[in-house]
Amino acid sequence: MTSVNEPSSPNFEAFLATLWVRRGLGVLVVALAVAAGWSGGVAAGFLVLAGAFLLLTLGLLWWSLQSLSGKSKLSLDEALSLARPSAEEEQKQSVLRALKDLEFERGVGKISAEDYQELSLHYRSEAKRLMALLDESHARSKSEVEALSASLLATPTANTASRTKADGKAASASPEEPS
Amino acid sequence: MWSPPQVGLPELGTSVIYGILLCAAYTFAVAVAAGRSKPRLLQAARTGAYATSAMVGFAVMLLAYAFLTHDFRIRYVLRYSDRSMSTPYLITALWGGQDGSLLWWTALLSGYITLTVRWLKGRYRDLQPYVIATLMVIVSFFTIVLIFSANPFATTIAGSPPDGEGLNPLLQSYWMIIHPPALYMGFVGCSVPFSFAIAALITGRLDNEWIIAVRKWMLFAFLFLSIGNWLGMMWAYEELGWGGYWAWDPVENAACLPWFTAAAYVHSTMIQERRNMLKVWNIFLICLTFFMTIFGTFLTRSGLITSVHSFAQSSIGNYFIVFMGLIVATCVGLIVWRLPLLRAKTEIEAVTSREAMFVINNWALLGAMSFIAIATLFPKISEYLWQENATVGPPFFNRWLAPIGLVIFALMGLAPLFGWRKTSPELLKKSFVWPLVALFTGGALHLAFGRALGFPALVENDVFYPGAVGVILQKVGSVSPLLTIALAAFNLAVVIQEFARGIAARQSAAEKRGEEESLSVALFRLITKNRRRYGGYIVHTGIVCMFIGFAGAAWNKDKETSLSVGQSFEIGAYTVTYKGARMCPSMHPDGGGCSLEEQSDVSKRRVIANLDLAKNGKYMGSVSPAQFIYTRQQQTTTEVSILRTFWDDFYSVVGRVDPSTKQATFQLHVKPLVSWIWAGVGVLIMGTLLSLWPQFSYGRVGVWSLVRTASGAAAGIVFSIWLAMSPSLAYAKTRPRLPESTAALVAPRALASEHLGISLALGLGLVVGVGQSLRRRRDFGE
């Protein structure tokens, strides 16, 4: 069973995965390479870069093996990325793009009024059909989410915890505000 | 003083290459598992792909380090460098030979893998595992070739000699520093669309969405194929010294084959997006484009056909044959398996439709590609089938490709005039009026004034073949300048008309909303809201310029002469006066007219001739063709000198120079409209960049991101312009007339290498810009 990282419990991996840390490490490596190149010649700079690539390889392989063995937790970002758009969703996007193109063609006078009417009707009915299909497929998930939210809100501990958290946030956001 | 460690670098490098193969195999296995039943493994596959790329980066850094520390234990370093080479050329030597260039190829592929995997985060969940798996198969193939046939870390048997053999002088050129990486970027870039196609076929997700992702990657590859071929043409024009930019050499042909199929694909994909047709055709084109990149590499490396690129041949052909077989078998098998899903639900309704024009255009592009491929292989085919030695030279290609090229040129202008599905006669009439007026006016003006301006509309041509075909080709060749100019006018009119219609539509819509949109605002908004369409029209404008440049070859003037000092010679409108020659480094106490750099460079002797040029009696400047004699390699290279103008190039090559009398032989060429080709490619690049540019709004992206993206793009555009301008700085310095003794002539390579840092920085800007653009698109789901 996989678990999703809690944003409130950061670990070393999550720290390393943050954008600013990665950027900082990148800048550090380049700075080290430039410094080595400056003091010991261009070759020394390349040696530093080679070392950085080696460390990066080892680190990435370690992470990959951790994921493979199920030891590393799935980040929220990764978990969200597992959600896949359905074929209907993709077709809907395609039809909407075709409609937009059709409008443009009409604007620049590349299509006759009759053809425009016919094609526009065809694309619109196709879009409607796909949207109906999507609504239908989402209906079950929607009701599940609603039920889950309702049960969470109904739990007294969750309610209290969330209220306390919200109060804390409000207090830290405006400490001088009179209560 | 810091001294570099010299322990076990060859062994470490070889181990790293084995490591790459292991890493790629691991990632492949995990990716396939993620695709089959365990989506949770996708994260492991993604990280594995990053690790594989990082390991390739490690190998490249090690090889660069070996070059920089002159580790001549390594055979590849020994063969392609020596201690006298400067740092930029030592780094260039990474791809100067077979083994290193294959590693470089793998490194570029790793760069693409990193970009693709990053871009794929949260997208195309079904396709992702198989995209990664396919890319890993390609990495594995190149790593296997590296391990078993072209290990760049292999050591010499005789131990480490004191100095290396040095890089081929022909490759010690500014253009050669940037041409191979750019061309490889194009070649390698075709791997990404191919991976998507394979993934779509395996998963059966053959809707139109994946093809939109592929289109962007294909455009990116197309951009670099264009840049790479352009730089190759520049190199051939300025370095080989035969007076032309395209010799139909097998390797040149191999480089342009995927360009044709990529161009066909970026057009036909629109039909699938719009009409849900040509699914099989599009998959076929993607597979063919990738196949052509491997086939091109096979031609370049196997030594199958004799070529000017003989510095990169070996016996790795068998590996490529097996890989090409694997590609064909996989593609054909998967297409046949998925045929029921790929069948079109609609069909072309009328010939007077845009999709029909695109299909004809596709066939013409594919026809040109097939013609070039077969003609390139013909000597081998003839040898195999009829045991006859046959040569297919430039005249054959030029004669046959003139009509094919004109058909493609005409279709390029015709397609935008039609609407989708069918075009009514009224709309056709409305669309065709102005372009046809331009066609006939352009043709008539050319016929009337061309000869007086030195560009006659009809040129004389000899019969290449006996019989009717020969006569037809001769007639087409004779009228091809007229047809090219007329069709250029037609195409340009189409582009202008398309912009005018778009602007009018915008202004009319704004008026209906009660707003007012000025011409410039309407133009800006029209382009920014329809970048793909109008970027495409700008690409067409670039191609118009290129065709005009190609037509210039019909008016070339080529002469050979021997001149004494002070003697003059006429060629076309030019009068050439030979002012003398000098040899550098000179033993003369005052330097013998040599510049400081010419005096200090002891790696070669330079024989430089000075020619003054006047056109129609007006002084234009001077050129200094030279011969460089590389002392170490005992190799002589001709250094052409070109005076570029808007209308023509004066191209000079010096042959033998008598040391006592200074009498010299020259090859002189006047080459009309060549600059139009370079400018046309620059326009094409800008149009492609515009098509690739992401669609975003200020509010959604934020100022900082906008600045980052815009600065990257600006750097890219400046890079393109700088590339277009730099040859004139380096080779055709027009300067005031100076006394002979004080003339400090331009050293082409020195000047070019001065600008290398700037170009690399700007190139980096281009890559960063594109990277940022891709990121922006991902973030905002565009």
Side-chain angles (χ1 to χ4, degrees):
Chain A
M1 186 67 194
T2 60
S3 58
V4 177
N5 265 359
E6 289 289 328
S8 55
S9 59
N11 55 25
F12 183 63
E13 286 175 15
F15 169 72
L16 277 181
T18 56
L19 188 64
W20 286 106
V21 172
R22 276 183 298 177
R23 279 184 184 170
L25 282 174
V27 170
L28 182 70
V29 167
V30 172
L32 275 174
V34 170
W38 191 267
S39 60
V42 184
F46 272 86
L47 198 60
V48 170
L49 289 177
F53 271 110
L54 178 61
L55 286 176
L56 185 64
T57 307
L58 294 174
L60 288 166
L61 273 178
W62 173 254
W63 274 342
S64 179
L65 289 168
Q66 290 285 305
S67 303
L68 187 68
S69 61
K71 283 181 186 168
S72 79
K73 289 176 179 175
L74 198 63
S75 71
L76 184 65
D77 212 13
E78 287 289 343
L80 287 174
S81 77
L82 290 179
R84 61 188 77 183
S86 62
E88 288 80 19
E89 183 67 41
E90 291 185 352
Q91 282 168 13
K92 188 190 88 182
Q93 293 296 336
S94 178
V95 170
L96 291 179
R97 242 192 317 271
L99 257 174
K100 199 180 159 193
D101 269 5
L102 190 68
E103 292 296 333
F104 185 83
E105 296 276 319
R106 184 202 184 193
V108 294
K110 285 268 178 75
I111 188 164
S112 65
E114 301 82 55
D115 281 348
Y116 169 76
Q117 285 297 336
E118 189 189 333
L119 275 175
S120 177
L121 203 67
H122 166 73
Y123 286 136
R124 281 174 204 280
S125 63
E126 183 66 9
K128 273 182 200 164
R129 185 185 69 81
L130 290 165
M131 281 175 188
L133 273 176
L134 283 168
D135 283 346
E136 202 177 303
S137 66
H138 289 164
R140 209 184 66 179
S141 313
K142 259 187 193 170
S143 58
E144 276 177 15
V145 169
E146 278 168 8
L148 193 65
S149 311
S151 69
L152 277 172
L153 288 170
T155 313
T157 45
N159 241 344
T160 320
S162 61
R163 202 177 299 129
T164 315
K165 207 170 173 183
D167 289 349
K169 264 188 187 170
S172 62
S174 54
E176 285 159 25
E177 211 171 294
S179 57
Chain B
M1 180 68 189
W2 181 84
S3 62
Q6 292 280 328
V7 279
L9 185 60
E11 293 77 17
L12 177 62
T14 306
S15 314
V16 172
I17 292 177
Y18 277 97
I20 297 166
L21 184 60
L22 278 175
C23 212
Y26 156 78
T27 309
F28 171 80
V30 176
V32 170
R36 287 178 69 84
S37 55
K38 296 178 179 171
R40 174 70 176 84
L41 296 186
L42 184 59
Q43 198 179 3
R46 289 170 57 86
T47 324
Y50 286 137
T52 311
S53 301
M55 198 174 267
V56 175
F58 179 45
V60 171
M61 289 299 138
L62 281 182
L63 190 60
Y65 176 76
F67 268 109
L68 291 165
T69 54
H70 305 299
D71 193 339
F72 296 125
R73 289 173 300 169
I74 297 173
R75 192 178 56 203
Y76 183 69
V77 177
L78 173 73
R79 279 190 187 166
Y80 294 98
S81 72
D82 62 41
R83 290 182 188 279
S84 69
M85 278 166 61
S86 60
T87 304
Y89 285 123
L90 281 173
I91 294 169
T92 311
L94 267 176
W95 56 83
Q98 174 84 280
D99 309 355
S101 64
L102 286 173
L103 179 64
W104 185 248
W105 181 296
T106 318
L108 290 177
L109 181 58
S110 303
Y112 270 107
I113 289 171
T114 308
L115 276 177
T116 309
V117 174
R118 181 157 171 64
W119 181 78
L120 274 172
K121 193 174 178 182
R123 294 173 161 183
Y124 305 103
R125 171 61 194 83
D126 286 341
L127 303 181
Q128 254 195 75
Y130 296 105
V131 169
I132 294 172
T134 311
L135 288 168
M136 286 304 122
V137 170
I138 303 170
V139 170
S140 302
F141 164 71
F142 279 99
T143 316
I144 287 169
V145 175
L146 285 173
I147 290 172
F148 295 107
S149 188
N151 181 2
F153 293 99
T155 49
T156 53
I157 299 167
S160 174
D163 202 357
E165 293 168 15
L167 189 65
N168 186 330
L170 277 175
L171 300 182
Q172 292 184 38
S173 148
Y174 165 70
W175 299 113
M176 223 44 198
I177 293 179
I178 52 176
H179 157 59
L183 194 60
Y184 290 174
M185 282 283 280
F187 267 49
V188 178
C190 298
S191 308
V192 181
F194 175 71
S195 308
F196 270 94
I198 296 294
L201 284 167
I202 291 173
T203 56
R205 290 292 292 263
L206 291 155
D207 301 319
N208 297 341
E209 277 306 289
W210 73 275
I211 213 151
I212 290 162
V214 167
R215 183 233 300 159
K216 288 165 198 158
W217 288 102
M218 190 65 102
L219 260 181
F220 194 72
F222 176 81
L223 171 70
F224 278 97
L225 281 172
S226 306
I227 295 175
N229 275 301
W230 174 38
L231 295 174
M233 285 162 80
M234 288 273 203
W235 173 74
Y237 190 57
E238 295 178 359
E239 202 64 26
L240 294 183
W242 61 276
Y245 40 80
W246 197 271
W248 298 108
D249 179 79
V251 173
E252 290 174 347
N253 298 350
C256 77
L257 296 178
W259 188 91
F260 282 103
T261 47
Y265 172 76
V266 294
H267 288 92
S268 71
T269 187
M270 285 189 253
I271 306 176
Q272 184 172 342
E273 284 174 38
R274 188 61 193 268
R275 299 287 324 275
N276 208 17
M277 291 165 60
L278 302 185
K279 286 182 179 178
V280 179
W281 179 249
N282 282 326
I283 293 256
F284 166 74
L285 279 180
I286 294 170
C287 294
L288 184 64
T289 304
F290 178 69
F291 178 85
M292 281 300 158
T293 62
I294 300 297
F295 175 71
T297 317
F298 164 71
L299 267 190
T300 319
R301 312 307 173 107
S302 63
L304 184 73
I305 311 266
T306 313
S307 151
V308 292
H309 296 65
S310 55
F311 40 78
Q313 290 179 0
S314 80
S315 57
I316 60 170
N318 291 340
Y319 293 92
F320 279 85
I321 289 170
V322 171
F323 192 50
M324 286 190 288
L326 183 71
I327 294 167
V328 173
T330 310
C331 294
V332 171
L334 285 172
I335 290 173
V336 170
W337 179 40
R338 292 296 188 190
L339 213 50
L341 288 175
L342 289 167
R343 285 216 175 91
K345 294 179 183 99
T346 48
E347 55 188 29
I348 292 175
E349 291 174 29
V351 181
T352 54
S353 65
R354 193 177 299 176
E355 50 267 44
M357 287 297 128
F358 277 173
V359 170
I360 300 170
N361 166 291
N362 261 233
W363 278 108
L365 283 168
L366 214 65
M369 190 278 293
S370 310
F371 179 85
I372 295 169
I374 292 168
T376 307
L377 284 173
F378 190 75
K380 270 290 155 199
I381 298 170
S382 159
E383 196 182 311
Y384 183 74
L385 291 180
W386 305 292
Q387 286 79 47
E388 277 177 17
N389 287 326
T391 310
V392 182
F396 174 84
F397 283 100
N398 290 335
R399 285 293 165 91
W400 278 98
L401 281 169
I404 298 174
L406 285 170
V407 168
I408 294 172
F409 197 35
L411 285 167
M412 187 181 91
L414 282 172
L417 297 177
F418 292 87
W420 293 104
R421 290 184 76 209
K422 59 186 177 201
T423 316
S424 64
E426 296 76 39
L427 287 176
L428 266 185
K429 195 177 158 192
K430 193 179 153 196
S431 298
F432 268 86
V433 170
W434 288 111
L436 282 178
V437 168
L439 176 94
F440 289 115
T441 312
L445 287 173
H446 190 202
L447 269 171
F449 301 109
R451 189 165 291 279
L453 293 168
F455 304 116
L458 305 171
V459 289
E460 287 194 8
N461 242 322
D462 51 342
V463 181
F464 193 63
Y465 294 114
V469 175
V471 173
I472 292 168
L473 287 176
Q474 182 214 9
K475 299 284 179 208
V476 172
S478 298
V479 297
S480 64
L482 172 68
L483 289 176
T484 309
I485 299 301
L487 284 173
F490 176 78
N491 270 288
L492 215 55
V494 170
V495 172
I496 293 168
Q497 179 174 273
E498 287 301 309
F499 273 94
R501 277 177 158 193
I503 291 169
R506 277 208 67 86
Q507 286 179 326
S508 149
E511 207 175 294
K512 278 179 193 162
R513 292 195 306 270
E515 296 167 10
E516 200 177 323
E517 225 171 61
S518 68
L519 182 72
S520 54
V521 170
L523 177 66
F524 179 76
R525 288 185 181 160
L526 180 75
I527 295 172
T528 50
K529 288 195 185 296
N530 302 278
R531 290 192 173 115
R532 180 184 173 194
R533 182 187 292 257
Y534 289 95
Y537 290 142
I538 292 172
V539 170
H540 283 194
T541 310
I543 293 172
V544 168
C545 291
M546 287 166 69
F547 263 86
I548 293 173
F550 295 146
W555 306 302
N556 279 352
K557 289 181 177 62
D558 311 292
K559 295 217 169 145
E560 259 188 70
T561 184
S562 176
L563 297 175
S564 301
V565 177
Q567 207 175 350
S568 292
F569 181 75
E570 288 196 359
I571 173 167
Y574 284 92
T575 306
V576 186
T577 309
Y578 177 39
K579 305 300 284 184
R582 66 189 192 282
M583 184 181 280
C584 304
S586 169
M587 302 302 282
H588 202 274
D590 67 359
C594 301
S595 69
L596 197 61
E597 187 185 339
E598 288 165 354
Q599 279 292 71
S600 59
D601 184 2
V602 291
S603 66
K604 54 184 171 281
R605 280 184 295 138
R606 306 169 195 231
V607 181
I608 304 165
N610 302 327
L611 297 169
D612 272 1
L613 295 177
K615 192 176 185 183
N616 298 322
K618 187 187 165 199
Y619 176 71
M620 299 292 291
S622 66
V623 288
S624 310
Q627 284 214 342
F628 288 179
I629 302 132
Y630 287 81
T631 44
R632 181 171 193 84
Q633 291 90 351
Q634 284 301 304
Q635 191 172 338
T636 304
T637 61
T638 49
E639 302 297 312
V640 305
S641 189
I642 305 166
L643 180 81
R644 293 168 195 275
T645 65
F646 182 75
W647 293 112
D648 55 30
D649 280 10
F650 181 87
Y651 187 102
S652 59
V653 181
V654 65
R656 199 180 59 82
V657 179
D658 190 314
S660 52
T661 61
K662 301 255 175 110
Q663 191 174 31
T665 56
F666 294 95
Q667 283 173 34
L668 305 172
H669 310 267
V670 176
K671 308 192 81 63
L673 305 173
V674 172
S675 299
W676 286 62
I677 300 172
W678 315 138
V681 184
V683 175
L684 181 146
I685 290 167
M686 280 193 254
T688 315
L689 279 173
L690 186 67
S691 296
L692 275 170
W693 198 261
Q695 203 101 30
F696 57 81
S697 63
Y698 299 87
R700 293 159 74 196
V701 175
V703 173
W704 173 233
S705 300
L706 184 74
V707 168
R708 273 189 309 187
T709 314
S711 57
I717 291 165
V718 172
F719 177 59
S720 308
I721 294 167
W722 182 84
L723 277 177
M725 297 296 292
S726 55
S728 57
L729 291 172
Y731 289 89
K733 181 107 172 158
T734 305
R735 58 189 172 79
R737 192 191 292 267
L738 293 171
E740 183 69 25
S741 57
T742 56
L745 294 168
V746 182
R749 283 179 180 155
L751 243 171
S753 57
E754 270 173 31
H755 292 86
L756 181 63
I758 305 167
S759 69
L760 287 177
L762 292 172
L764 191 66
L766 172 67
V767 173
V768 170
V770 172
Q772 289 292 346
S773 306
L774 289 171
R775 267 197 59 209
R776 288 299 106 206
R777 290 191 79 101
R778 184 182 65 80
D779 291 349
F780 297 98
E782 295 278 343

